[in-house]
Amino acid sequence: MRTLIKETIDQTGQELTIKGWINSIRSYGKLVFADIRDRSGLLQVVGGKDLGALKLESVVEISGTIRSRDSKYFNDKLLTGKVEMEVKDLKLLSPAAKLPFDIHQPELNVSLPVLLDYRTLSFRHPKVQAIFKVQEVVIDSFRRALKAKDFFEFQSPAMISSVPEGGADVFKVKYFDYEVYLSQSPQLYKSLLVSAFERVFSVNKIFRAEPSVTTRHLTEAISLDAEFGFIDSWLEVKDMAEYTIKFILTEVADKCQAELALFDATIPSVPDHIPFIKLRDAQQIIYERTGRDCRQEKDPSPEDEREICKWAKETYQSDLVFMTHYPTKTRPFYTYPDDADPEYNQGFDLFGRGVEWLTGGRRIHDYATIMEHVKEWGIDPQNIELYLQSLRYGMPPLGGFAFGAERITMQILNLSNVREASLFPRDMERVDSRLSNAKKN
Ligand code: AMO
């Protein structure tokens, strides 16, 4: 029977079997020391030449006796540092080829393309594993935050017939004799479900044909979406987003201390209330702080995003800040225009440490108003008939938001490129393998 490595600590004198990968080998003539790694940790084993002859990362099954190390050989850095296994029986379950680079150093000193080209090897590095442990906690705590508020989880279609966010950044798919799109956002589905379920959320892939290679954009990303009805104001939507991200950050702080330490990362600091500011006011502040006149722009540039984050940090000691009230015409057709100033809408973005983490807002729930927008935005009502149906037959006032899971992970750990926070990142130049090396159709 297999014993997990972390369970060997208090089994001195026992004969056990462990299974794992060879993490390191140190040969001293006939005496060979190796560290064996499984999902729970590392254990030093002591064997002979047959152990020394194996290649790093080979998969082995080893039976032997657990014994205490001499105190002068204790290793405080290892959970199992006070014990070791004396090898009695060694089975090679799967040999590894010679590694293309050293994956056993504290830092993986390879370029991002190499790290991705050898993804199966880079996944074995503790720092790479830490990124996805943090991401798992982000996604799991997003779910738990919303379930605690009585939201219902749904799975959104991957193929869609319309482009809810507008723009050209969609992938077309040949669908029998027709053309459909890979889902750019579950937006219309989450909204229409509110007309039946009131409160819904989903963890889904979104696909964006982003025509440029940046450090913040993936063509396939994980979207953490929520939508709910019976709101009185957009502020309730903002508050739900705030509650959710605070829940997520608290959980990561609690469950990922070791992972954060590997990156020397601290959880973003958030005051009692995340500050929020209208786009135009933010632009005025940016102008006053930097002299850069962005006051007529419809969206903040990456530079503006960094500047407004700096301002929020200095003014409110907050690593997060909401920017609200974007020009109505430049945002998707479903966003609710502000009653006091319909030129601007009740949508918002959340920025953290200089990068956008979330978009959200109140949505139009009135059928006549949505039909006006459909016309103005040049949308074919036939393509969004299901969504329109939900408004025709009684839709409560609603709103919602979506976080990007990779963006949150990236910004918590201060990664310089969002690709590091995606298991299998796709961009203009890569779909697993580098496209420039592959045959293009
Ligand atoms: P938006 O397009 O801003 O909003 O997307 C929501 C969040 O998803 C993440 N994100 C991305 N992450 C990595 N690469 C990308 N190409 C990418 N695109 C988006 C970002 C972003 O804030 N329907 C609205 C949401 C809503 O209003 O509920 C929407 O899709 O973190």
Side-chain angles (χ1 to χ4, degrees), residues 376-391:
E376 259 181 78
W377 266 250
I379 294 166
D380 180 352
Q382 187 59 38
N383 290 341
I384 55 166
E385 166 51 23
L386 271 193
Y387 172 71
L388 295 175
Q389 203 178 79
S390 71
L391 275 80

Side-chain angles (χ1 to χ4, degrees), residues 244-300:
T244 307
I245 194 59
K246 281 185 173 171
F247 187 99
I248 291 172
L249 293 177
T250 307
E251 289 292 295
V252 173
D254 194 36
K255 298 198 166 119
C256 301
Q257 285 166 18
E259 288 75 14
L260 292 167
L262 278 179
F263 284 85
D264 230 348
T266 51
I267 289 291
S269 51
V270 186
D272 283 348
H273 291 290
I274 297 174
F276 60 102
I277 181 167
K278 289 183 173 173
L279 171 74
R280 291 295 183 229
D281 295 338
Q283 289 171 328
Q284 181 65 30
I285 287 171
I286 292 165
Y287 175 58
E288 283 163 17
R289 284 169 63 95
T290 68
R292 194 173 61 251
D293 195 354
C294 54
R295 290 173 295 177
Q296 297 307 313
E297 300 297 330
K298 59 189 173 61
D299 259 328

